[in-house]
Amino acid sequence: MKRLPLSDQPTYRQPNPETETLPKRLPKISRKRLIYAAIAFGTIFLVVQAFRPAPIPVDTGLVSRGELRVTVNAEGKTRVRDRFTISAPVDGRLARIELDEGDKIKQGDMVAKIDPLPLTSSVKEALGRLAEWQAQRQGVATQRPKEANLEQARQRIQAAIANQRQAEARVIQAQAALAQARRDNQRAQELQASGVIPRQDREVAELNQTTRAKELETARLAAKASANEVEVAQAALTVLQQQKSDPDYLLKVYDARIASVEAELAKLKDEAARTDIHSPVSGQVLRVQKKSAQYVTSGTPLLDIGNVSNLELVIDVLSGDATKIKPGAQIFIVQGTETEAIQAKVRYVEPSAFTKVSALGVEEQRVNVIGDFTDKSHLFGDAYRVDVQIVVWDRENLLKVPLSSLFRCGKSWCTFVVNNGKANRRQIEVGQRSDFEAEIRQGLKEGEAVILHPSEQIEDGKPVTVR
């Protein structure tokens, strides 16, 4: 089969009116104009974006349920519950105390010693006089009256009368001092009851009254002894004046003298026995107040002893906060970076307040709260400083929010809730508040997000974004 040859003439094509007229409808746009148009549209877009309000970045917290604990935060210190201060029982030279702070001692251990030499010398002197009177009593039958003995007896009577008058004057002086001490003690009790002076000043006044009473008793005993000396001297003179017709009368004289010396000797022996100072209880040495050897007077504090395992808490709080604290309330002690707080309980709140000047120079009425440790695993010592939290209100399964999300709106409380990217202001009812959280009674639901630390830029309906 032969292929027909192609014609050299062009093939006829039916014209299309739409395609033929299109180049005529669209004008030809140059590349330069397209670039200018793109720049113009970009500039307009940037201007619109610049003037469009941007969302405010915020921090949010969730409304949740859980435990809410309201506490009174304060500073306190530890204190040994039973503290014993050992003082010098007599005047004398104290030997160097070999104990150090923290040393453990048992009841009855010797903790200090006062040189007994002066008292020993007085005891020996009294023993010598006693032996003398006893020897003279045995030789009564061989004694005969002499003029020198009569004169000596008269002088002894005069000296005894003078001593008696001095002793009676000391009794009157001691009575006046005791009366003044009683008045001072009465005033101290009234002032301490009104909170003007601390309890220590009242105790000092009571001690002063007791001391004055003992001084009066001693003065009366001395006056009585002086009267006995007068009687003894007069009896001796009477016996001598009777020419000692019956030497047995002298027996009473010497018996009286012997009894006087024996009483003095018993007193000196008692004081000499107290130069070895022993511990009244078992415990630890808390403080050595007189370490070096020195002369001390009776009543000088030497060292403090106590049981460090038996501690209590002394917490001073404002009197306004003290009214919220009840016995048995929990106390939490947080020390440093410890994860678990040490627990204690309030034993009682002292009934009397005291005035304390704060660091800002403001006078405050404060009250001591006394607590006992319930956790014995602590490592505190005496007078350690502690930061405590005293629980005054505690509830579980409460609706609560972070306290930083709340702000005042008039007389009510408000917060901002994040809803669909916008801040919605909402008025709420707040109950109890702690340092970081607050109870929500009305106005919020669990799981809602609230804005923390809302600034003045945040308003109702403004767009926000969570950081």
Side-chain angles (χ1 to χ4, degrees):
M1 182 177 180
K2 292 184 178 180
R3 182 176 298 177
L4 294 176
L6 295 177
S7 176
D8 295 335
Q9 294 181 356
T11 306
Y12 177 75
R13 183 169 54 90
Q14 185 70 26
N16 190 352
E18 295 181 359
T19 58
E20 293 295 338
T21 57
L22 184 59
K24 296 179 180 180
R25 293 180 182 179
L26 295 177
K28 188 177 182 180
I29 300 175
S30 64
R31 182 179 297 176
K32 191 174 185 180
R33 289 182 179 181
L34 289 175
I35 294 174
Y36 287 157
I39 293 174
F41 280 116
T43 303
I44 294 172
F45 177 78
L46 293 177
V47 170
V48 171
Q49 291 295 329
F51 286 96
R52 181 182 178 182
I56 302 174
V58 295
D59 296 323
T60 60
L62 292 179
V63 181
S64 61
R65 285 190 174 274
E67 182 183 8
L68 182 63
R69 180 183 297 160
V70 181
T71 61
V72 174
N73 300 335
E75 292 183 2
K77 65 178 181 179
T78 60
R79 183 175 67 184
V80 174
R81 194 164 182 176
D82 296 319
R83 190 185 191 96
F84 295 86
T85 300
I86 299 179
S87 303
V90 294
D91 299 345
R93 183 168 181 81
L94 174 70
R96 179 177 177 83
I97 298 178
E98 300 298 334
L99 294 174
D100 296 322
E101 286 82 355
D103 289 349
K104 294 183 178 181
I105 56 176
K106 296 181 180 180
Q107 183 177 3
D109 290 349
M110 190 172 69
V111 296
K113 183 177 181 63
I114 296 177
D115 184 10
L117 181 59
L119 295 174
T120 304
S121 301
S122 300
V123 170
K124 291 181 178 180
E125 181 183 355
L127 287 174
R129 285 189 280 114
L130 179 61
E132 179 184 357
W133 299 132
Q134 289 174 346
Q136 290 186 9
R137 186 181 185 281
Q138 293 176 358
V140 166
T142 60
Q143 294 182 359
R144 293 293 181 267
K146 298 181 177 61
E147 188 62 27
N149 292 337
L150 292 173
E151 184 61 24
Q152 184 179 6
R154 295 188 186 97
Q155 292 179 0
R156 188 179 296 113
I157 291 174
Q158 293 177 359
I161 292 174
N163 291 334
Q164 182 182 10
R165 292 175 180 175
Q166 290 180 359
E168 291 173 352
R170 284 193 291 269
V171 170
I172 296 173
Q173 183 179 2
Q175 289 175 344
L178 177 59
Q180 181 63 37
R182 287 173 177 171
R183 290 192 293 271
D184 293 341
N185 186 21
Q186 182 65 27
R187 283 194 298 269
Q189 291 178 354
E190 296 173 356
L191 292 175
Q192 197 271 336
S194 60
V196 176
I197 62 175
R199 185 173 61 185
Q200 183 179 2
D201 294 348
R202 176 179 63 81
E203 294 174 351
V204 171
E206 292 177 355
L207 178 61
N208 186 33
Q209 178 180 345
T210 304
T211 303
R212 298 297 180 232
K214 293 298 182 181
E215 291 178 353
L216 176 59
E217 182 180 356
T218 303
R220 286 175 177 172
L221 292 176
K224 186 176 180 180
S226 300
N228 291 336
E229 290 291 337
V230 173
E231 293 177 0
V232 170
Q234 290 176 348
L237 180 60
T238 301
V239 171
L240 290 176
Q241 288 175 347
Q242 292 177 358
Q243 300 287 325
K244 289 189 178 179
S245 58
D246 188 0
D248 293 337
Y249 284 107
L250 289 176
L251 296 176
K252 295 182 179 180
V253 177
Y254 291 121
D255 288 340
R257 291 179 179 178
I258 291 172
S260 177
V261 175
E262 286 177 346
E264 182 182 357
L265 183 60
K267 178 183 177 182
L268 292 174
K269 286 182 177 180
D270 178 67
E271 291 182 352
R274 288 185 290 161
T275 55
D276 292 340
I277 305 172
H278 300 273
S279 174
V281 293
S282 300
Q284 284 182 286
V285 178
L286 302 179
R287 179 176 299 176
V288 179
Q289 301 191 25
K290 300 292 182 182
K291 182 72 174 178
S292 302
Q294 55 188 293
Y295 183 84
V296 294
T297 58
S298 176
T300 302
L302 302 181
L303 68 166
D304 296 338
I305 295 175
N307 188 358
V308 183
S309 62
N310 189 12
L311 293 176
E312 63 183 5
L313 286 172
V314 183
I315 310 161
D316 65 289
V317 300
L318 291 172
S319 56
D321 293 333
T323 58
K324 308 174 187 177
I325 301 173
K326 305 299 180 184
Q330 281 189 318
I331 302 175
F332 293 94
I333 305 171
V334 180
Q335 292 295 111
T337 58
E338 293 184 3
T339 56
E340 295 184 1
I342 300 172
Q343 296 186 15
K345 282 190 177 182
V346 175
R347 189 187 341 143
Y348 69 93
V349 180
E350 289 187 354
S352 178
F354 58 92
T355 303
K356 183 178 180 181
V357 180
S358 66
L360 300 177
V362 180
E363 289 188 355
E364 299 174 339
Q365 290 300 113
R366 305 189 74 87
V367 180
N368 280 334
V369 177
I370 310 301
D372 294 326
F373 285 96
T374 56
D375 187 356
K376 300 299 183 180
S377 62
H378 61 82
L379 298 176
F380 294 122
D382 182 44
Y384 278 37
R385 175 190 171 278
V386 291
D387 294 324
V388 301
Q389 298 176 353
I390 306 175
V391 180
V392 296
W393 190 88
D394 189 8
R395 295 291 185 277
E396 294 183 355
N397 196 24
L398 288 178
L399 194 64
K400 59 183 182 177
V401 295
L403 189 64
S404 59
S405 65
L406 305 182
F407 61 92
R408 278 288 187 179
C409 51
K411 295 183 178 180
S412 302
W413 289 96
C414 293
T415 186
F416 284 109
V417 179
V418 178
N419 190 6
N420 295 327
K422 293 183 179 181
N424 293 332
R425 176 176 168 177
R426 191 176 298 178
Q427 185 174 338
I428 58 176
E429 182 180 350
V430 178
Q432 294 288 339
R433 287 174 291 166
S434 67
D435 293 338
F436 303 101
E437 296 175 321
E439 175 192 5
I440 300 301
R441 296 179 177 174
Q442 187 177 358
L444 292 175
K445 297 180 180 179
E446 184 179 359
E448 290 184 315
V450 293
I451 298 176
L452 304 180
H453 308 287
S455 63
E456 296 180 355
Q457 297 177 351
I458 300 176
E459 297 179 358
D460 189 20
K462 273 198 171 185
V464 295
T465 179
V466 179
R467 289 192 180 97

